């Protein structure tokens, strides 16, 4: 083990990770690693990113340290696949991102002056437009660079932000709330007609507008949804636990019993938060 460590290099050195990956993909390397391709590693990459996001949400520094390393490994793996196919290698990607960062931060690496973070974002978009013009791309929508594979709520936020940067925005919070009420009414009309295609269309409009309501308040709809989902999961588990203690099968409850079980779980949650174990019902 020590001999291999000395051969591969310092484990704190990025180049060591690159050498390890190359060794795993070598003809006499690991059969599993040699079998992988872009499609298979893409899925592991997505999984590792989400595990890193969970670590961030938990605020667990040790877990973040581990998961960030796993994400980095998947990137190196993907670049090794590209090298094996004669496309490019990890150092080409490093050169490209370093050059891009320097070019798009002229207020740090050049003589440009910016007043605040918003000015930085405006300048960033100007530099990107200049890059496209120099590359001869011609006209390109401001929304074109937003990945279609982004999670839907985050994608909606990024689309909205780009549109707002060009001035496409409600004048105030009242305007976006009026839009939300209008979209809900249209959804109700589609539901009344039992038109599934129209329901899906109008439901999407409601969700898109909700994203903009959150944005107007400097919140992120996907974070709000995760918070509510987490709250629901916790309460539902408490409800299941209580039913299990009473030897009651959840699938045997009627709607009224479900409602009472849910209310009991909410009371139990409130008592847990306050440290009050009283059975007295709260308003």
């Amino acid at each position: 083990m020590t001999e291999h460590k000395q051969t591969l290099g310092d484990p704190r050195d990025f180049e060591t990770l690159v050498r390890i990956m190359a060794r795993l993909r070598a003809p006499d390397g690991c059969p599993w690693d040699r079998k992988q391709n872009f499609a298979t590693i893409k899925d592991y990459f997505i999984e590792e990113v989400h595990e890193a996001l969970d670590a961030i949400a938990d605020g667990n520094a040790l877990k973040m340290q581990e998961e960030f390393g796993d994400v980095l490994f998947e990137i190196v793996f993907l670049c090794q696949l590209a090298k094996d196919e004669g496309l490019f290698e990890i150092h080409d990607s490093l050169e490209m991102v370093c050059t891009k960062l320097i070019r798009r931060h002229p207020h740090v690496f050049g003589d440009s002056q910016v007043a605040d973070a918003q000015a930085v974002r405006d300048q960033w978009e100007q530099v990107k437009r200049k890059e496209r013009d120099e590359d001869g791309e011609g006209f390109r929508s401001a929304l074109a660079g937003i990945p279609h594979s982004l999670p839907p709520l985050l994608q909606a936020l990024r689309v909205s932000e780009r549109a707002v940067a060009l001035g496409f925005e409600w004048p105030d919070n009242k305007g976006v709330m009026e839009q939300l009420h209008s979209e809900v009414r249209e959804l109700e009309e589609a539901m009344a007609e039992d038109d599934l295609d129209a329901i899906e269309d109008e439901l999407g409009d409601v969700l898109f507008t909700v994203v903009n309501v959150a944005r107007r308040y400097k919140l992120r709809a996907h974070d709000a949804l995760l918070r509510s989902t987490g709250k629901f999961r916790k309460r539902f588990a408490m409800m299941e636990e209580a039913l299990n203690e009473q030897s009651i099968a959840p699938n045997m409850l009627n709607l009224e019993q479900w409602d009472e079980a849910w209310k009991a779980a909410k009371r139990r949650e409130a008592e847990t938060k306050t440290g009050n174990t009283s059975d007295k019902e709260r308003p």
Side-chain angles (χ1 to χ4, degrees):
M1 180 66 75
T2 302
E3 182 180 348
H4 284 301
K5 283 185 176 180
Q6 292 175 344
T7 303
L8 292 169
D10 185 347
R12 297 180 66 87
D13 186 347
F14 177 74
E15 292 300 327
T16 300
L17 176 59
V18 175
R19 283 192 289 271
I20 290 173
M21 188 66 255
R23 179 73 181 83
L24 292 172
R25 287 278 298 174
D28 60 342
C30 172
W32 186 90
D33 290 287
R34 285 182 49 75
K35 185 179 179 181
Q36 303 313 304
N37 55 47
F38 286 118
T40 58
I41 296 303
K42 174 192 68 175
D43 294 337
Y44 288 111
F45 181 35
I46 292 172
E47 183 178 345
E48 295 295 354
V49 168
H50 282 284
E51 289 182 4
L53 292 175
D54 282 348
I56 293 173
D58 292 340
N60 187 324
L62 185 60
K63 199 64 179 174
M64 281 191 274
Q65 177 183 326
E66 178 186 357
E67 298 302 341
F68 293 173
D70 289 345
V71 170
L72 186 57
F73 171 69
E74 298 301 338
I75 292 172
V76 171
F77 203 144
L78 288 166
C79 287
Q80 183 64 44
L81 291 174
K83 182 178 181 179
D84 292 343
E85 295 187 18
L87 302 175
F88 60 87
E89 58 178 286
I90 184 67
H91 300 93
D92 297 321
S93 293
L94 290 172
E95 179 184 13
M96 182 170 286
V97 70
C98 287
T99 301
K100 184 192 304 182
L101 286 171
I102 293 171
R103 184 174 61 247
R104 294 184 181 179
H105 289 83
H107 56 291
V108 176
F109 303 105
D111 301 325
S112 176
Q113 300 292 321
V114 290
D116 51 32
Q118 183 56 52
V120 172
R121 295 192 64 171
D122 294 341
Q123 177 183 251
W124 179 279
E125 292 301 327
Q126 290 173 5
V127 173
K128 288 178 66 175
R129 284 196 293 272
K130 183 179 179 181
E131 290 171 356
R132 290 195 293 269
D133 292 340
E134 291 176 351
D135 289 341
E137 289 187 24
F139 172 77
R140 188 186 186 202
S141 169
L143 311 181
I146 300 172
H148 292 279
S149 58
L150 274 179
L153 291 180
L154 179 56
Q155 184 178 160
L157 174 61
R158 295 292 181 250
V159 166
S160 297
E161 289 174 338
R162 293 281 182 91
V164 168
L166 296 177
F168 193 77
E169 172 69 303
W170 286 274
D172 50 36
N173 292 337
K174 180 181 178 181
V176 69
M177 284 306 299
E178 289 176 347
Q179 182 68 38
L180 177 59
H181 293 318
S182 173
E183 299 296 354
V184 170
R185 286 194 296 272
E186 291 180 9
L187 173 61
E188 291 173 338
E189 292 171 1
M191 292 171 68
E193 296 176 3
D194 201 25
D195 184 337
L196 290 181
D197 187 61
I199 291 172
E200 181 180 42
D201 189 50
E202 299 301 340
L203 183 59
D205 289 345
V206 169
L207 291 171
F208 187 82
T209 308
V210 166
V211 168
N212 281 282
V213 171
R215 178 184 55 78
R216 293 282 308 191
Y217 283 92
K218 302 188 185 307
L219 298 171
R220 303 195 301 179
H222 49 285
D223 285 342
L225 179 58
L226 283 173
R227 182 175 180 177
S228 290
T229 301
K231 183 166 55 178
F232 179 88
R233 289 174 63 161
K234 182 178 180 180
R235 288 177 180 173
F236 197 87
M238 293 177 73
M239 182 173 61
E240 288 179 300
E241 183 180 2
L243 292 172
N244 183 63
E245 291 172 355
Q246 302 172 59
S247 299
I248 300 175
N251 60 353
M252 299 302 293
L253 299 181
N254 57 37
L255 290 178
E256 183 178 348
Q257 291 170 320
W258 270 119
D259 185 57
E260 182 52 41
W262 181 256
K263 290 178 180 177
K266 290 180 65 176
R267 290 195 297 269
R268 187 174 178 183
E269 179 185 34
E271 290 163 2
T272 301
K273 288 181 179 179
T274 61
N276 184 349
T277 57
S278 169
D279 289 334
K280 181 179 180 181
E281 184 170 343
R282 288 174 173 77

